[in-house]
Amino acid sequence: MVRIKHRYLLINILYPDPKSTSGRPATKPGDEVPYTVQFRRPSPDRMDGGVLTRLIRDGVAELYGDYGSGKVAGSLQVKYFSQATSTAIVRVSRDYYRLVWAALTFATRLPNPVGQSCVIQVVRVSGTIRKSEEEAIRRARLSIRRAEAAAKSSNAATAGLAAATPQLLSTEDDDADMINGIEDPDDPRDIEEDLDDDEG
Amino acid sequence: MAPGRPAQSPHDSGGGDNNSKKRKDAPTNPQHDGPNKRPRQHIDQRQKIRIARTLSTQTTSAAFQNGALDVSSFVKSRAYEIQALENGLQRSKKALNERAFQQVPKELRRRTASHNVKRVPKRLRARAGREMAVDNTPTVTARRRKPSGHMRLRLETVKKLRALGAKRKAEKDKPKDASVSELPAKDVQPGTITTAIKPRTPKVKKSLLATPPVPKAKFRKRQIHKSWLPTHLYHAKRARMTAPSAPLWRFAVPLTPTAKSYRPTHRASHDRGAVAWDMSYISTIQLEGRESSVLGMLKAMGAAEEDLSGRKASKWRAGLRVLEAFLYERESPHELIAPVTMVWCVYANGAESVEAEGRKRKVLLRVHPSAFFQLWEEVLRLAKVAKPAVSVEDLRFEIGSLEITGPGATEALLGALWPSETVSASNSASNAATTGMDVDTTLDTPRSESVGDIWQKLAGLTNPALLPQNALLGFNVQDPRLHHPPRTIALPKSDAEQHQLLELSASWPIDAAQKSCDIFDGKARHLASTTLPSQKAVNRRKALSPPGEYPQALPKDPRMPVLLYSASSATPTNSSKSRQQPKSHNGGSWTLLAPWKCLPPLWYSLMYYPLSTGQQPRFAGLDQKRQLAFEAGKPWFPGDFPGTKAGWEWECEDRRRREGEWRKRPRGKRVGYEKVEMGGGKKGEVGVGWACDWERLLDGPAVVEEAALGVVEDDMDVDGVAAEKAGDGAGSAEKAGEDTVKPAEQEKAKEDAVPFQAPPKPSQLTQLSTRQALALLASPEAKLPTHINLTSALVTVRLTLLTRGVPQPCARIYRLPTDNADLRRQWLALLPSNLPHKKQKGPKHALPRLPKDAPAHVVQQRLAQSLLEPPRAGEDKYPACPAEEDLVGFITTGNYDLGEGQGTGIGSLLLSRVRDGGEERNGCILRSAGTGLGRLARWEVV
């Protein structure tokens, strides 16, 4: 028997418009939220796997017409969607995952019940759900570390302490990366950090 | 998904309410209670997997209070995600897991389907119990199992017989009631045969073939045409035995364990563990007489002079070493019988005086059962004419033996063999901890030490090859059932202890301490097997001993005489000192001789000994024996000696088997031997494709014509006539039947389904010993005994492939072409030593792999190099196989060699054809039967 082969897309949803998002920065004055945290906002509660499916289906239909939606419809499934972290894993058949990817890339706005402008990043395409889950774990770890480092540095800055630790430097670099809005998963620095993390 | 709650598995709600034998309904969907069980179970499993695969998620409102974005909530939400994903990974992996019964390691596979929790390892027991409770699987014990069809019939018969027997016994016992009560007392106290009427000591009938022991009535019907090995019951449960209709050498021999064991056997024998065989089928003959006359007999049978009477052989003659030598028939044509192991009994009371010259001595000859009758007749004939007389005794069913090899072999034997002498000396039964090394005792006074004491000092020895070659130990051991289950012995840990072991093996005090061994004494053997206490009596004694300790040894305990020797080689390879031993990394093995009836307890103790390296010794069958001999690069008797009678019979049997397999297949799916491209436009396999066709090899060019006619014209009459012309009388009929393929012939072959009888061996086919072969090869003028016909003398060789490929049995061996200079040059160019690039990385026999970013000039260089590359197999330029006049022999055993990491083979060559090979005499070309592709190889005499 021939196995039906799939691709699993690990995606992140970003909300660039701060006004309309659900997670607003805390209003307290001395408690600024670091950029890395602001960049990865949670999704609104109404957003769920169904909405994401609809978004993809509509997008594919718009871009590729009936052909595309027919090819994709059979296998499209949202395997995992976490609102708190705006991470999702989407399954699609191996032959047509590019259609879905394109639809995701061209999406600018979540469909109606949510109705918010968004950017969707496909951060990993893998053949098994296991690998995409592992990647999601890796990325979650990375963002935790960055958030903590950023929080520390901002606290240090407000307290007027100049602690030039290597970690601090690296977070600055991270922030510089973040300004471009592009994460490079294969950045050697990241891997080193990973290794450190494992040792610790 | 509820926030923060991981998905639940469906097996949470339990509670057994009914005792029905059906599986319980799945707790998750009790509303489904329809009659269709199977689909529901299916759904249940899928549901289980789906639930296990669902990942829990957290909503934004739960993660962030009031939707406020701050670092701690952010971190917490990610941490939650990590947790959820990791859980999901774990759960989905577990959902696909099998039941505990299916997780039992491979060695315990036999128990998987037993439906009894007590049969799985302890660590899995709780889980298995839970699973069985959930599924409502009834526990099954052997006692309560419903007997299957055949078993039911058998049990009914047993019941009937038992009733009959009881009735008869009751009638018989009626008149003499008084004597009945005394009988069980014998069981309780073994070793005390002090009854008023002494049992008649069995008179040994010399010069008669031994009859197999009369089996229990229960098993008698199954041993009519064969006998069982002493450990048959153990093996029959765990191994594939010879088919009941086709016993090997009149024994039911274990062929291979039921569990997969090719690689595990290799590992256990080379790296870690031990492999044991019950070798009781090896036949033993005892000669008794004056040393000179026995030696004369052996000399008459062609044993080499220096082996028997030289200074080096003095230890063997004293009974301190074992000798393995080829014996030949006395009458011309002096055919090789078999390699025979010979052991002398030690001089009685150590007196090697002049007076001892006249005394009778005993020697044991051990020979493979396939050659037993040949040797027996030869020995009988010689014993009759020997002066002073030599008496011959057949000890086939009296002495059993086992063999054990591997790094843990010595350790396992130490755990099983508890010498009796030490007990009588110190009279203190000690537990396992003290059986190992006794550090305090020194080696200063070897005289006072008994062989048993020295034996126990061998703890820590991983390779018997460390000991003097062919070393020998004879002593008495206690009943191993008293120390069952065996415990791991104490092994030497410090350097000093290791050093002592080295010193021991160098000085080898056994030579001084060895007394005459009881195993040569028929009475001692008989006593040991008859006074063996019953298992009940042993159990009683064990029950009386304090917990955790073995029962005290009593002076009345039976003493099992054993003889232990380390064989470092399967066949005699003496006189080959100059040549490097093919593979020295293979450790030696121990052979243990013990009375036939004493073998089972020893075997069980050995098999259940917990090795210090983990696991227990493995048992193995005939196939493993051959495999290990092959991996050690040694020929296996009889299979690899086609020039002997036994080897010829083995070959015929093999031929028949292969032919059957070949004929069984449909035409389109079997090798068409008549269509094989032989190179040079010739077609058709040389000789019979499924055989090592020695007749064809010997009969030379006359057969070539015949084969050409038979194959090309496909004419049966011509074939038959030619075969008759070329063949030697009796063999011709078979030949006509076997030669090439023809539907009519096949049917004819099917018809005659008479019991197989091997055709007589071609009379001129002989096998040369290693020594003779080496002498002949070393110098062209070397003299052979006149009786040997050099043109048809075979020599056993080991072949290593120089390029690639794996030799198969029946593969044809060609010498490098002799009359076609061009072809010869082409083959020589393929030799690795003649190739331009020598040391290289990357794949073997190919150019090294280029890195991805190799610069252009390197790529060009590579291109040029690849043009100079010798032709690969399958390419047009690859040299064709030599013609039939260059055929020199056949591979008898060939396979991928796990030790070597490449294919090797054992085969036989016609010595006369390779004797004058010029340069590259040892080079040869191998071609598997049924293929046209030759491979370069090199041979060496073994």
Side-chain angles (χ1 to χ4, degrees), chain B residues 533-666:
Chain B
S534 67
Q535 185 64 51
K536 249 186 191 169
V538 170
N539 290 349
R540 215 172 295 133
R541 266 177 76 184
K542 278 168 80 176
L544 288 176
S545 66
E549 277 181 37
Y550 289 130
Q552 293 269 324
L554 301 175
K556 283 171 194 164
D557 276 342
R559 306 155 133 249
M560 297 182 177
V562 295
L563 182 72
L564 197 62
Y565 61 84
S566 74
S568 48
S569 57
T571 48
T573 50
N574 33 32
S575 87
S576 54
K577 292 283 186 305
S578 55
R579 186 170 59 92
Q580 89 283 14
Q581 214 67 7
K583 286 178 189 179
S584 51
H585 65 259
N586 185 29
S589 68
W590 286 106
T591 305
L592 176 83
L593 307 192
W596 186 268
K597 291 249 171 72
C598 296
L599 205 67
L602 286 170
W603 176 260
Y604 279 97
S605 272
L606 208 57
M607 281 293 106
Y608 291 107
Y609 174 77
L611 289 169
S612 62
T613 51
Q615 298 194 335
Q616 294 156 353
R618 300 179 60 84
F619 79 97
L622 194 67
D623 291 356
Q624 281 68 39
K625 186 93 198 126
R626 298 176 64 188
Q627 175 198 346
L628 289 187
F630 162 70
E631 280 174 10
K634 289 167 192 155
W636 173 77
F637 187 86
D640 293 326
F641 291 89
T644 62
K645 188 162 167 274
W648 174 256
E649 277 162 9
W650 180 267
E651 156 68 17
C652 288
E653 187 58 43
D654 248 10
R655 235 179 240 193
R656 202 170 67 103
R657 184 180 53 74
R658 282 196 214 107
E659 186 188 356
E661 276 166 16
W662 183 81
R663 289 206 190 284
K664 210 165 63 183
R665 302 182 68 95

Side-chain angles (χ1 to χ4, degrees), chain A residues 22-24 26 33-34 37-38 40 42-43 45 80-81 83-85 87 130 133 136-137 140-141 143-144 147-148 151, chain B residues 53 55-61 63-64 66-71 74-75 77-79 81-82 84-86 88-89 93:
Chain A
S22 57
R24 285 167 203 287
V33 178
V37 175
Q38 282 187 42
R40 298 179 177 79
S43 301
D45 270 348
Y80 172 72
F81 183 75
Q83 288 131 332
T85 54
T87 313
R130 185 191 163 78
E133 279 171 358
I137 290 171
R141 287 227 172 93
S143 57
I144 286 177
E148 276 172 347
Chain B
R53 280 184 180 168
L55 302 166
S56 66
T57 53
Q58 207 181 16
T59 52
T60 308
S61 50
F64 297 89
N66 311 323
L69 194 63
D70 58 17
V71 174
F74 177 87
V75 167
S77 68
R78 303 280 145 161
E81 188 184 49
I82 292 170
L85 288 169
E86 276 177 347
L89 283 173
K93 199 195 252 173

